[in-house]
Amino acid sequence: MATNRIATTVWHGELIKGNGETTFESSGIGTYPVTWASRAEEANGKTSPEELIAAAHSSCFSMALSHALTGAGTPPTRLETKAEVTFQPGEGITGIHLSVRGEVPGLDEEGFVAAAEDAKKNCPVSQALTGTTITLDAELA
């Protein structure tokens, strides 16, 4: 069964001086301010499209890796994934770097890295972002 998730952004004014609010409608978790400055300079308590992509990517990757490890008979105790999305004004998103540290009883470093590489390639968010270079560091805790 397919699901739809909805977020809405209302933008006011021009790009540089304007501002907006992004609302997570499906979950109801809140409304968050967004500005050009929060995207291209300092966050200053506001979010950006790149931070939202980082949240989506880190959670999707973690789910994909957990699923693969469990399917292989080595379910993780803990996975901590960080996604860093790089935005260059005038160029756009220039790369995404995933870092994952895992606690996986019964799995060696080589097996963990291989599973992480597979999750990087196959998680739905990675597949949606195929036009972007995605790099990965993976290690066991």
Side-chain angles (χ1 to χ4, degrees), residues 50-62 83 123 125-126 129:
E50 291 71 29
E51 185 177 38
L52 298 172
I53 290 170
H57 206 177
S58 66
S59 60
C60 182
F61 172 86
S62 294
C123 94
V125 171
S126 288
L129 299 170

Side-chain angles (χ1 to χ4, degrees), residues 56-138:
H57 206 177
S58 66
S59 60
C60 182
F61 172 86
S62 294
M63 290 179 193
L65 181 54
S66 175
H67 181 66
L69 291 169
T70 300
T74 53
T77 303
R78 183 174 193 275
L79 298 172
E80 182 177 336
T81 304
K82 176 179 169 182
E84 185 175 347
V85 177
T86 302
F87 174 75
Q88 178 64 46
E91 290 181 46
I93 295 172
T94 58
I96 299 172
H97 183 70
L98 298 170
S99 301
V100 62
R101 186 175 172 99
E103 295 173 14
V104 188
L107 189 65
D108 64 13
E109 191 85 18
E110 183 179 335
F112 183 70
V113 170
E117 285 289 345
D118 188 62
K120 178 189 85 163
K121 191 177 354 175
N122 293 308
C123 94
V125 171
S126 288
Q127 291 178 346
L129 299 170
T130 55
T132 302
T133 301
I134 301 169
T135 57
L136 172 69
D137 287 324

